[in-house]
Amino acid sequence: MVKIALITGITGQDGSYLAEHLLELGYEVHGVVRRSSTFSTERIDHLYREPQAESRLRLHYGDLTDGQSLTNLVLEIQPDEIYNLGAQSHVRVSFDQPVYTLQSVGCGALNILEAARLLNRDRPVRVYQASSSEMYGDVFETPQTETTPFNPQSPYACAKVYAYHQTVNYRRSYDLFASNGILFNHESERRGETFVTRKITRAAGRIKLGLQEKLYLGNLDAKRDWGYAKDYVQGMHLILQHEKADDFVLATGRTASVREFCELVFGHLDLDYRDHVEIDPRYYRPAEVDLLLGDPSKAKRDLGWEAETTLETLAQIMTDHDFEIAQRELHAAKFDANESR
């Protein structure tokens, strides 16, 4: 029998990779997308070109802040698995939009859990909640594990802590199979361009070709545990295949600074980041998180999951991808210049 999965945030980085993975496993995949005047499905458009994928991939308009519509959708689709990946996920933006961040991240998770609770009365459903290493904030211990206390330092992190505890609460109170995946930073060539890793790889390619002179960043000494998103969505799926609902840290177990990531990216293009990167205080957070380092030993022991892609390989994948984009931009600029003559 074909399994049915519902993914919120399917058009995002993680959602697109997860949809790919589940379709490869033979799932019927439903995705929730917000209605807007423009389409934002670039990350999943290629899936419709895959053999038989179109008949097993369906998109629905919805919003995490609209609990009734989510409930209606869940009861209509009756998924076996729900992956709640949708959110306002930019930490720095959450300081500017704290209320919306809480509504989409915190209340959105609660709306998903309530819809799942209602479905679970008639048929079993499993829920994955996308929790974040940002919940650890100003850390109490290093490395961070599933039992490390949370100490959030941003509206985004506070909302994620709320969603995490609601997930545990629904698991205990209603016997709902609801699990948290506490994912440390996971990047890819599909990462949004306002996130620091993608901001770096995009700028480096443009600087190499003379399309840009400088890259302005905030705290270069912030350290993160960086992995490849494509590896991490496999962990999400394994979490919902586990024999019992539980919470798991997904991480590489290695930390590196923003400065080190710059060195890898610019070095791959035979550039010295120090010649091109400048500090802009505007990009500092009101409350900084200096060090995040996850301990993925539980996931390896209980799920058989571990990150496969090294930071060096990840940096090369992203840099090569964005250098190709920069080359196309340069070609287009030259073409426009010739046309205007």
Side-chain angles (χ1 to χ4, degrees):
M1 187 174 180
V2 175
K3 278 189 173 184
I4 301 173
L6 175 64
I7 304 173
T8 69
I10 193 171
T11 58
Q13 169 190 259
D14 293 4
S16 65
Y17 281 123
L18 179 61
E20 271 181 356
H21 184 58
L22 295 181
L23 287 169
E24 289 172 359
L25 294 175
Y27 277 68
E28 177 183 312
V29 177
H30 295 256
V32 179
V33 296
R34 284 187 300 162
R35 178 72 176 89
S36 67
S37 59
T38 58
F39 290 106
S40 58
T41 58
E42 298 87 357
R43 293 185 179 96
I44 58 173
D45 284 342
H46 67 284
L47 294 177
Y48 289 103
R49 297 191 292 270
E50 299 296 327
Q52 301 179 337
E54 184 174 2
S55 62
R56 292 189 287 112
L57 175 61
R58 303 170 191 174
L59 302 182
H60 308 264
Y61 286 126
D63 195 302
L64 283 168
T65 63
D66 185 350
Q68 187 59 59
S69 70
L70 285 177
T71 296
N72 293 342
L73 186 61
V74 167
L75 295 180
E76 175 189 345
I77 295 172
Q78 297 197 345
D80 299 288
E81 299 169 5
I82 300 174
Y83 296 85
N84 184 34
L85 311 184
Q88 189 301 100
S89 59
H90 199 288
V91 176
R92 181 62 188 82
V93 171
S94 76
F95 286 98
D96 300 322
Q97 296 184 313
V99 175
Y100 176 69
T101 300
L102 173 60
Q103 290 171 340
S104 65
V105 175
C107 297
L110 181 59
N111 288 333
I112 287 291
L113 290 165
E114 184 61 13
R117 180 185 70 83
L118 295 174
L119 175 60
N120 200 56
R121 296 186 302 189
D122 299 320
R123 56 166 295 167
V125 60
R126 298 188 171 198
V127 180
Y128 171 87
Q129 169 58 29
S131 290
S132 169
S133 59
E134 288 287 334
M135 300 188 303
Y136 296 116
D138 188 9
V139 298
F140 289 114
E141 64 180 9
T142 299
Q144 294 87 54
T145 72
E146 291 80 4
T147 59
T148 301
F150 301 135
N151 188 22
Q153 300 293 298
S154 68
Y156 169 79
C158 290
K160 280 293 187 182
V161 170
Y162 174 86
Y164 171 94
H165 285 300
Q166 286 290 9
T167 301
V168 174
N169 177 49
Y170 269 68
R171 181 167 73 219
R172 293 172 176 170
S173 301
Y174 303 113
D175 196 29
L176 177 68
F177 194 109
S179 298
N180 286 288
I182 308 173
L183 271 61
F184 281 66
N185 289 65
H186 46 291
E187 316 296 318
S188 76
E189 59 273 35
R190 297 182 191 174
R191 192 60 144 145
E193 293 185 15
T194 60
F195 289 84
V196 67
T197 51
R198 190 78 196 286
K199 188 176 179 181
I200 292 167
T201 56
R202 282 289 281 128
R206 289 175 56 81
I207 289 170
K208 178 69 174 180
L209 297 177
L211 293 169
Q212 184 175 330
E213 293 184 3
K214 295 290 183 178
L215 168 62
Y216 296 93
L217 297 173
N219 183 10
L220 294 184
D221 296 317
K223 293 184 176 181
R224 295 292 184 269
D225 185 324
W226 274 314
Y228 191 21
K230 202 169 185 178
D231 294 341
Y232 283 55
V233 298
Q234 297 177 27
M236 296 177 188
H237 177 253
L238 289 172
I239 287 172
L240 289 197
Q241 312 317 304
H242 192 49
E243 59 187 1
K244 65 182 181 70
D246 203 351
D247 308 314
F248 294 91
V249 164
L250 300 186
T252 69
R254 171 189 174 185
T255 192
S257 68
V258 175
R259 189 185 308 277
E260 290 172 280
F261 192 80
C262 285
E263 290 176 348
L264 289 172
V265 170
F266 281 84
H268 187 56
L269 296 175
D270 297 320
L271 297 171
D272 188 334
Y273 83 95
R274 292 171 294 185
D275 296 331
H276 307 285
V277 175
E278 294 188 5
I279 304 299
D280 189 332
R282 292 179 301 172
Y283 295 116
Y284 277 82
R285 301 177 186 178
E288 285 289 334
V289 174
D290 295 321
L291 170 64
L292 292 175
L293 173 62
D295 178 358
S297 57
K298 179 180 176 182
K300 183 176 182 179
R301 182 188 71 237
D302 293 356
L303 304 177
W305 180 90
E306 60 182 326
E308 297 179 356
T309 308
T310 66
L311 179 61
E312 289 77 11
T313 300
L314 173 61
Q316 290 176 14
I317 291 171
M318 294 178 65
T319 304
D320 289 342
H321 175 272
D322 285 340
F323 186 63
E324 288 184 10
I325 293 178
Q327 288 177 313
R328 292 197 296 269
E329 290 174 336
L330 179 61
H331 177 76
K334 290 180 177 179
F335 178 82
D336 290 342
N338 290 332
E339 286 290 302
S340 64
R341 289 175 182 172

